[in-house]
Amino acid sequence: MNTPWIGQAVTSQSKSNLALSFFCLPREQKWAMTVFYAFCRVIDDIADSTELSLLEKKEGIVFWKKEIERIYVSVPSSPLGKELREVVLKWKLPQEILQDIILGVEMDITKSRYKTFEELSLYCYRVAGAVGLISIEIFGCRHSCSKEYALALGTAFQLTNILRDVSKDSSYGRIYFPLDELDEHGISEQELLTQKWSPKIREFFRFQYLRAKHYFAKSSKLIHPSDRPKLLAAEIMSSVYRAILEKIRTKQFNVFHHSIRLTKLQKLVSILRVLGKNFWGPKNPTAFVPPKKIVILGGGFAGLSAAFELNSRGHDVVVLEAKSMLGGRAGSFKVPQVGETIDTGQHVMMGCYDHTLELVEKLGIGSKLFWIDPIKIVFLSHNGSSVLSAGQLPAPFHLLVGLLNYKSLSVADWIKAFSFLFSIFIADKPFEKETADQWLKRKHQSSSLIRSLWEPLCIAALNLPLNESSALLFYRVVRKTLLGKRKDLSLILCRIGLGELFTKECERLLKMCGSRILFKSSVCSLEFENNYLKAVKTTDGKTYSADCFISALPWHTLGSLLPEESLLKKKCQSIKQSPILSLYFWVDRPLTNEPILGFLDSPVQWLFSRNLFMDSSILSFPLYSYVAVISAPPKDILAMSSKEIEKMVWREVNQLIPGSKEARFCQSFLFKAMGATPKFDPESLKHRSSPTTSWNNFFLAGDWTDTGLPATIEGAILSGKTAAQYADAFPLIAQSPPLLVEEKAT
């Protein structure tokens, strides 16, 4: 073995993150990687040179193509070529992969645009994936998954490089982002080349970051236990590159105006993290859970949450959605009469929706939300108005201020309310079979407290009156909303159609990472075999097989697909539903300056002033848009016609807002959501299902599953995330099946 003078000199001068990891390699492997990396560095410098002409660059590439050929058939002419020949012969490195690396560098000279990610993927393979394939040969990896690992990690590395080096590449006139994706975000080539920073650039870079994270996660799952010790250097490289990617995120993706370089300390932390995990972390020599093919039934919020979580963990996902749009029960559509987008019921989120807000932050869609922070709700009754408004003080004093200023409560009510809240604080739980009404009365809550505080909270959170609601579930609601942090009590409304809150971004990300959402794919049957779900069939005659399945279908839809003898089917059939009526109406003048009004002692519980929080682009000016909400309406109201409900609502509005009598009622639209939420009374609460089923590879998501929360957006998001975590941990028993098998439609 010759001393690699040339290779060592080139590698030492590069100060590369890749070369940083060679210290942990045995002597011979370190020598080989040093020489190989020097080869990569030399040909890369040809393409990036500012001194060589285009002709000289092409001549340099031709020289190295022939030099690689000479390594295999004769004697190389360059000192570095001679050193590389020793490495090639010792580790039996394939010539075509070395030539692929040169072809990748040649693309830097001859190609400066990529129309699609498919085109870019070829470039990523040549300049990074092929480097990984050579590296694992030198490392001595033998398992077939290590090749997939090298390709996934190479893609992650190169996507990180592309995002980090936008400014540098722009100076060469190169754009490495797919042009069709730039076009989808409304970004011109000139905006990148001139480094014109804007919110749409930030969001575009965010999705490039999320795609890189997907490939990092996929690579981690492809490390087979038998090859793990040999991949220590590769994992150190991975840790450093992940740190670079996260630094881009901490700079709000503004790579135009921030230098994205790790300090020596940050690099050291990344290295020590891997070394610590390698030497002191948990060791399970048989643990191997590679990326899976997973089918999700249903594209509502629970299904999208599961898809996002699985994508971030490196899996391949197919979402089957029966409709032509995503969102499920939280959908939106346009009313033709006024041309305005409305929701399938007005939803209110809260600051305690931790999982929902985490997803909002990751997708960068915070601008779609309207916050009422601190909480402020004006309650109207025939006795006048009263404002429930929390102060700016930290918890729990914000609640103290809010209740003390709430005129509907007396001093005696305040004392009883705080005594009740203290009992919840010390975890004095209600009885399992108790209704919320029974629990409150047992806790000596007055009728005025129940009327003006607990009943509105219960009907809003559980879509049931106190005398029907589960006390245990209401206990969790009170504890999470009133006894949490100050921001937990904030109210959050959607500024756009609720169906568009997550859908566009989730669909875009899944597509970018190679997953799919298939619309008008209604599941008609499930095929079970030996405690496993083997396949699902759709009404268009297609059969989908996968490693795992997640149902994010409503309980009644899933129940209709399950075997008759199934315990889960019986549970689904035992869950009743609770309706919500939403009357959208339009008038010629504003009725209130408050985004939300609560109605006490009225069949209408809430009135939302959409003009005060919705984006103006979806409103029908010059009309003023409102929605009156009737949660869990009694049978007599359900039996009313749309016109009768319209008259009833307008009568209530006129009585509680006297100034509204001067307004002209222009148009209305009644949306009846008969299955708006599951009905969780004390009896049906026990029918909520866990994420797991009696079929090992079949998991459940949906706000009706046992999340410990009411059937809310937060419950749906949490359920999807939880089901995804179970599917992620599920061990494969065989090689992944093909994801889709076509059949003739019947």
Side-chain angles (χ1 to χ4, degrees):
M1 180 179 72
N2 293 335
T3 304
W5 293 109
I6 300 298
Q8 182 68 57
V10 172
T11 300
S12 298
Q13 290 173 9
S14 71
K15 298 181 180 179
S16 163
N17 290 319
L18 294 177
L20 183 68
S21 65
F22 296 168
F23 75 90
C24 65
L25 294 172
R27 184 181 177 187
E28 281 197 327
Q29 291 178 341
K30 182 177 180 180
W31 161 74
M33 285 300 298
T34 300
V35 173
F36 169 59
Y37 179 75
F39 156 72
C40 295
R41 184 75 268 163
V42 166
I43 59 172
D44 193 52
D45 287 345
I46 293 173
D48 288 345
S49 173
T50 57
E51 298 176 358
L52 298 177
S53 67
L54 179 60
L55 178 61
E56 289 172 324
K57 290 181 179 182
K58 290 181 177 180
E59 289 175 346
I61 293 298
V62 170
F63 168 81
W64 275 105
K65 286 182 179 179
K66 293 181 178 179
E67 186 77 337
I68 294 300
E69 291 177 2
R70 286 190 287 269
I71 285 176
Y72 289 87
V73 297
S74 60
V75 179
S77 61
S78 67
L80 181 58
K82 292 174 182 177
E83 291 180 7
L84 184 59
R85 184 173 187 272
E86 293 187 45
V87 176
V88 167
L89 294 178
K90 181 172 181 60
W91 272 274
K92 298 180 176 59
L93 303 180
Q95 180 182 171
E96 60 269 23
I97 299 181
L98 291 173
Q99 293 287 6
D100 281 340
I101 296 172
I102 298 175
L103 289 174
V105 174
E106 187 176 36
M107 292 173 77
D108 284 331
I109 300 172
T110 61
K111 190 176 179 68
S112 61
R113 300 291 187 276
Y114 296 85
K115 293 181 180 179
T116 64
F117 185 68
E118 185 178 4
E119 281 189 18
L120 183 64
S121 294
L122 175 61
Y123 172 74
C124 290
Y125 159 71
R126 286 176 171 174
V127 299
V131 173
L133 292 177
I134 293 293
S135 299
I136 62 170
E137 292 297 323
I138 295 174
F139 295 157
C141 297
R142 293 294 174 261
H143 197 276
S144 59
C145 279
S146 293
K147 292 185 178 179
E148 295 180 58
Y149 164 83
L151 295 175
L153 188 59
T155 300
F157 282 170
Q158 196 56 31
L159 292 177
T160 303
N161 282 334
I162 289 170
L163 188 54
R164 180 194 62 190
D165 296 336
V166 175
S167 297
K168 173 187 170 184
D169 293 329
S170 296
S171 67
Y172 290 114
R174 302 173 188 159
I175 295 177
Y176 287 103
F177 298 116
L179 296 183
D180 61 347
E181 293 179 8
L182 285 172
D183 185 60
E184 186 180 348
H185 282 79
I187 300 170
S188 67
E189 293 182 25
Q190 195 63 23
E191 286 175 277
L192 278 185
L193 294 175
T194 58
Q195 301 179 37
K196 184 179 179 181
W197 184 247
S198 65
K200 62 182 178 181
I201 295 279
R202 184 197 309 278
E203 296 318 305
F204 178 76
F205 287 171
R206 181 190 300 275
F207 279 89
Q208 304 305 314
Y209 156 86
L210 289 172
R211 175 157 56 194
K213 286 203 68 173
H214 165 78
Y215 281 100
F216 274 120
K218 176 170 283 190
S219 70
S220 294
K221 291 186 176 298
L222 288 164
I223 302 176
H224 193 270
S226 62
D227 278 349
R228 182 177 294 277
K230 304 168 186 175
L231 291 171
L232 179 59
E235 281 301 283
I236 288 174
M237 298 179 209
S238 177
S239 181
V240 170
Y241 264 80
R242 287 175 193 245
I244 293 171
L245 192 62
E246 289 308 311
K247 190 162 189 176
I248 292 173
R249 180 186 60 80
T250 61
K251 299 298 182 182
Q252 294 295 303
F253 308 102
N254 190 349
V255 292
F256 288 166
H257 302 118
H258 293 282
S259 176
I260 309 298
R261 294 289 183 271
L262 298 182
T263 64
K264 290 182 179 179
L265 178 60
Q266 288 170 330
K267 289 181 180 180
L268 179 61
V269 169
S270 298
I271 293 170
L272 292 177
R273 184 180 293 118
V274 176
L275 293 177
K277 183 179 179 181
N278 184 72
F279 293 112
W280 296 289
K283 291 180 174 57
N284 185 349
T286 61
F288 180 53
V289 185
K292 303 183 186 73
K293 299 178 177 69
I294 300 174
V295 169
I296 299 173
L297 318 183
F301 281 11
L304 292 178
S305 172
F308 179 89
E309 184 69 18
L310 290 168
N311 180 79
S312 69
R313 291 170 178 258
H315 299 287
D316 297 321
V317 178
V318 168
V319 179
L320 303 178
E321 170 52 48
K323 301 176 184 176
S324 58
M325 59 183 181
L326 298 169
R329 302 203 313 276
S332 305
F333 60 95
K334 185 169 284 189
V335 179
Q337 297 93 320
V338 293
E340 183 170 311
T341 298
I342 66 172
D343 299 330
T344 55
Q346 178 65 53
H347 288 69
V348 179
M349 295 173 279
M350 297 193 72
C352 59
Y353 280 26
D354 297 330
H355 300 282
T356 305
L357 294 175
E358 178 187 30
L359 183 57
V360 166
E361 193 277 330
K362 287 180 177 178
L363 290 173
I365 55 176
S367 61
K368 295 183 180 183
L369 301 180
F370 177 89
W371 284 70
I372 303 176
D373 182 22
I375 186 175
K376 180 187 177 185
I377 303 177
V378 177
F379 283 95
L380 304 178
S381 71
H382 298 292
N383 298 324
S385 65
S386 186
V387 181
L388 179 61
S389 177
Q392 293 283 4
L393 295 174
F397 303 106
H398 70 305
L399 183 61
L400 174 67
V401 172
L403 292 180
L404 289 177
N405 290 331
Y406 191 32
K407 292 192 300 184
S408 293
L409 303 181
S410 65
V411 174
D413 290 333
W414 295 336
I415 295 172
K416 290 177 180 178
F418 285 117
S419 174
F420 175 60
L421 290 172
F422 180 75
S423 71
I424 295 175
F425 178 75
I426 61 174
D428 181 11
K429 295 182 180 180
F431 303 131
E432 186 176 334
K433 296 184 178 181
E434 211 170 15
T435 66
D437 185 59
Q438 291 169 337
W439 178 46
L440 290 169
K441 289 178 178 176
R442 182 166 62 82
K443 288 294 183 178
H444 310 295
Q445 298 300 283
S446 66
S447 57
S448 58
L449 253 177
I450 291 174
R451 163 189 168 270
S452 56
L453 184 61
W454 303 129
E455 184 75 50
L457 177 59
C458 184
I459 203 80
L462 275 65
N463 191 31
L464 280 177
L466 286 166
N467 60 358
E468 295 183 46
S469 298
S470 160
L472 195 57
L473 197 55
F474 186 58
Y475 160 85
R476 294 170 186 161
V477 169
V478 175
R479 187 176 178 88
K480 190 170 181 65
T481 56
L482 300 185
L483 297 180
K485 300 183 289 291
R486 190 192 66 80
K487 78 148 185 89
D488 291 348
L489 200 52
S490 305
L491 301 179
I492 307 171
L493 300 167
C494 194
R495 294 170 53 85
I496 59 170
L498 186 64
E500 300 172 14
L501 179 57
F502 299 112
T503 53
K504 180 181 177 181
E505 287 75 15
C506 282
E507 185 177 1
R508 175 182 289 161
L509 178 62
L510 293 176
K511 178 183 175 183
M512 288 174 65
C513 297
S515 292
R516 291 174 291 162
I517 297 178
L518 304 179
F519 295 99
K520 296 185 178 180
S521 297
S522 179
V523 176
C524 60
S525 68
L526 309 177
E527 296 183 0
F528 297 101
E529 182 182 313
N530 298 330
N531 296 325
Y532 287 89
L533 177 55
K534 302 299 291 184
V536 300
K537 288 188 175 182
T538 53
T539 52
D540 57 359
K542 293 177 181 176
T543 299
Y544 297 84
S545 56
D547 299 312
C548 292
F549 298 83
I550 293 177
S551 169
L553 300 171
W555 64 97
H556 45 81
T557 305
L558 174 62
S560 67
L561 299 171
L562 295 170
E564 288 299 325
E565 69 278 6
S566 164
L567 177 61
L568 179 57
K569 184 183 185 77
K570 293 180 174 60
K571 283 188 172 185
C572 291
Q573 292 173 335
S574 299
I575 297 176
K576 303 180 181 67
Q577 57 190 25
S578 185
I580 296 178
L581 303 184
S582 301
L583 183 76
Y584 291 84
F585 64 90
W586 292 265
V587 294
D588 65 344
R589 65 194 65 192
L591 306 181
T592 175
N593 292 323
E594 299 295 334
I596 304 177
L597 290 175
F599 287 4
L600 300 177
D601 310 318
S602 169
V604 179
Q605 289 97 6
W606 308 100
L607 181 69
F608 293 86
S609 306
R610 285 163 54 85
N611 286 71
L612 297 180
F613 61 85
M614 297 294 292
D615 190 280
S616 59
S617 63
I618 67 171
L619 294 171
S620 53
F621 290 109
L623 299 180
Y624 291 83
S625 179
Y626 294 86
V627 56
V629 177
I630 306 174
S631 297
K635 292 181 180 179
D636 59 331
I637 292 181
L638 284 175
M640 290 182 178
S641 67
S642 297
K643 199 66 180 176
E644 289 172 328
I645 292 175
E646 175 192 299
K647 289 180 179 179
M648 179 193 71
V649 168
W650 190 236
R651 182 177 64 249
E652 292 295 316
V653 170
N654 287 167
Q655 289 177 353
L656 296 174
I657 310 175
S660 65
K661 296 175 183 178
E662 299 176 6
R664 181 169 61 89
F665 193 97
C666 302
Q667 186 65 257
S668 72
F669 184 92
L670 177 66
F671 187 85
K672 286 187 175 182
M674 300 307 294
T677 65
K679 183 178 181 179
F680 288 138
D681 54 34
E683 177 62 25
S684 61
L685 194 64
K686 65 184 180 183
H687 298 304
R688 298 186 84 173
S689 298
S690 70
T692 58
T693 70
S694 54
W695 300 281
N696 297 331
N697 66 334
F698 187 34
F699 306 98
L700 303 180
D703 58 7
W704 61 276
T705 59
D706 191 10
T707 62
L709 300 174
T712 57
I713 290 175
E714 175 72 351
I717 299 296
L718 173 59
S719 73
K721 184 177 180 180
T722 304
Q725 290 167 349
Y726 274 96
D728 174 67
F730 174 71
L732 292 181
I733 57 173
Q735 186 176 0
S736 296
L739 200 55
L740 168 64
V741 178
E742 296 277 356
E743 289 187 352
K744 290 183 179 180
T746 57

